[in-house]
C-alpha cells in the first residue's frame, strides 16, 4: 500500500504550502487551536480551486473538509447533526473530495445513528472518522463499527496524547484493520519522529499540521488590545510551512 501524507490546513496559505511541499491531501478546517472546526465555504472553494489549478503535480491534491460544528465533546444534539448534514452538502457542492466526521454517545461508543446519516449524505465522497475515535471507550469495537459505516480511514493518535506515545496501539489497530480501513496517524507528527512512527506502527498514512510561526506585516500596531485571550498575540500566527511539508513528504517517499 502506498504511503501518503495529509496536512491539516487552517488557511489558504497553508493549502498552497501543502501543494508546494508535496502533500497528497489536506484536511481543511478552522480553529486548529481547539482541535479544528468546519471551515468557511469561501475557504473550501478557494482550496478546491488551488488544488485543481496546480498542473505541476503528478497527482492532484485532494481536499477533505472537517465537519465539526463546535469545540468541546462529540456528543451532538439533533440540531447539531442537522447542521453537519448541511455542511456535508455544502462541502460537496464546493467540490471537496471528502469529509471528516465523528460523533459519540454518552458511554463513549460511536453514535452509529448520527454517523450513518452523515455517511449516507456523503455517499460518493471519501470518508474519514476524526479523532473523536481517541475518546472512545473501546477502540477495537469502535474500529469495527467504522468499517461497518464504510469509512475509508480513521485519524487517531492511538488514544494517546501524541502518535509517537500511542505507536503500539497504532500498530495494533493497523493489524486489526486488515487493510479494510486505513489508520491515519496524527498528533505531534513532525520530521523528527515521522520515520519512527512509520517504522514502529506500520501505518501507511501520516497527518500533520507542519506549522511554523510567522510575523505580521502590519506597520501600525496597538499592542495593548487582544482579540481573544488576554495574552494572545495578534501580530503573529501559526501557518503551514512548505519546507516542513517537504521534509515529511520525503520521509514518506523513502518508505514507499
Amino acid at each position: 500500500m502506498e504511503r501518503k501524507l495529509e496536512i491539516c490546513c487552517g488557511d489558504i496559505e497553508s493549502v498552497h504550502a501543502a501543494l508546494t511541499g508535496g502533500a497528497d491531501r489536506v484536511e481543511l478546517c478552522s480553529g486548529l487551536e481547539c482541535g479544528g472546526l468546519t471551515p468557511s465555504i469561501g475557504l473550501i472553494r478557494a482550496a478546491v480551486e488551488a488544488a485543481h489549478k496546480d498542473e505541476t503535480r503528478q497527482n492532484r491534491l485532494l481536499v477533505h473538509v472537517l465537519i465539526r460544528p463546535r469545540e468541546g465533546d462529540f456528543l451532538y444534539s439533533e440540531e447539531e447533526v442537522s447542521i453537519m448534514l448541511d455542511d456535508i452538502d455544502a462541502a460537496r457542492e464546493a467540490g471537496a473530495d471528502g469529509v471528516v466526521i465523528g460523533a459519540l454517545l454518552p458511554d463513549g461508543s460511536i453514535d452509529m445513528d448520527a454517523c450513518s446519516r452523515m455517511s449516507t449524505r456523503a455517499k460518493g465522497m471519501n470518508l474519514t472518522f476524526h479523532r473523536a475515535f481517541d475518546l472512545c471507550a473501546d477502540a477495537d469495537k469502535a474500529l469495527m463499527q467504522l468499517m461497518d459505516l464504510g469509512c475509508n480511514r480513521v485519524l487517531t493518535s492511538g488514544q494517546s496524547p501524541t502518535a509517537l506515545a500511542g505507536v503500539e496501539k497504532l500498530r495494533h489497530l493497523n493489524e486489526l484493520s486488515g487493510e479494510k480501513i486505513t489508520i491515519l496517524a496524527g498528533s505531534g507528527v513532525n520530521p523528527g519522529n515521522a520515520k519512527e512512527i512509520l517504522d514502529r506502527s506500520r501505518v501507511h498514512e501520516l497527518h500533520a499540521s507542519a506549522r511554523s510561526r510567522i510575523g505580521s506585516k502590519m506597520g501600525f500596531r496597538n499592542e495593548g488590545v487582544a482579540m481573544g485571550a488576554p495574552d494572545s498575540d495578534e501580530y503573529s500566527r501559526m501557518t503551514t510551512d512548505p519546507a516542513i511539508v517537504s521534509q515529511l513528504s520525503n520521509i514518506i517517499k523513502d518508505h514507499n
Side-chain angles (χ1 to χ4, degrees):
M1 184 184 296
E2 184 180 3
R3 288 187 167 87
K4 294 184 181 296
L5 173 63
E6 176 178 280
I7 297 297
C8 183
C9 296
D11 53 43
I12 193 61
E13 185 175 352
S14 293
V15 175
H16 288 298
L19 277 163
T20 300
D24 300 288
R25 183 173 63 241
V26 298
E27 181 198 35
L28 202 62
C29 59
S30 64
L32 271 69
E33 68 282 354
C34 63
L37 300 171
T38 304
S40 73
I41 191 65
L43 179 56
I44 301 172
R45 288 172 178 157
V48 169
E49 181 180 5
H52 283 227
K53 282 175 63 177
D54 192 296
E55 298 177 351
T56 64
R57 298 163 53 97
Q58 184 176 358
N59 297 310
R60 181 174 66 80
L61 181 75
L62 299 180
V63 178
H64 290 186
V65 175
L66 177 63
I67 305 298
R68 186 185 179 204
R70 58 161 172 79
E71 61 183 298
D73 63 34
F74 301 100
L75 179 62
Y76 295 116
S77 68
E78 177 58 33
E79 188 172 24
E80 288 172 324
V81 173
S82 294
I83 290 170
M84 290 191 285
L85 293 174
D86 284 347
D87 283 339
I88 291 171
D89 289 342
R92 182 197 297 277
E93 290 167 6
D97 300 286
V99 290
V100 184
I101 67 164
L104 302 180
L105 294 175
D107 65 358
S109 62
I110 303 291
D111 185 339
M112 291 295 284
D113 176 68
C115 290
S116 293
R117 291 161 64 190
M118 287 189 274
S119 175
T120 298
R121 191 66 70 93
K123 186 175 182 180
M125 304 178 78
N126 208 280
L127 191 66
T128 300
F129 193 91
H130 57 53
R131 287 191 65 213
F133 179 86
D134 289 325
L135 302 183
C136 286
D138 186 333
D140 289 8
K141 178 182 177 182
L143 189 66
M144 297 301 177
Q145 289 178 307
L146 297 183
M147 292 182 196
D148 291 340
L149 279 171
C151 290
N152 300 98
R153 70 184 49 78
V154 54
L155 171 60
T156 173
S157 61
Q159 297 199 313
S160 296
T162 66
L164 185 58
V167 72
E168 296 304 324
K169 175 65 77 69
L170 286 169
R171 181 166 181 161
H172 165 73
L173 293 169
N174 193 53
E175 292 172 350
L176 186 63
S177 72
E179 297 190 357
K180 294 179 181 176
I181 185 171
T182 297
I183 305 300
L184 173 60
S187 184
V189 175
N190 60 62
N193 62 26
K195 183 179 184 300
E196 182 178 358
I197 293 170
L198 289 170
D199 288 341
R200 293 177 59 190
S201 69
R202 305 288 179 87
V203 300
H204 291 84
E205 295 195 0
L206 294 181
H207 169 101
S209 61
R211 295 189 297 168
S212 62
R213 185 169 294 280
I214 61 172
S216 170
K217 296 179 180 178
M218 286 291 295
F220 171 77
R221 301 189 178 197
N222 185 349
E223 303 283 1
V225 177
M227 297 294 107
D231 59 348
S232 62
D233 180 4
E234 307 306 331
Y235 298 104
S236 71
R237 61 190 174 91
M238 298 294 287
T239 193
T240 300
D241 186 328
I244 300 176
V245 177
S246 181
Q247 291 177 61
L248 288 167
S249 180
N250 288 333
I251 292 169
I252 290 279
K253 289 174 183 176
D254 287 344
H255 277 69
N256 280 329

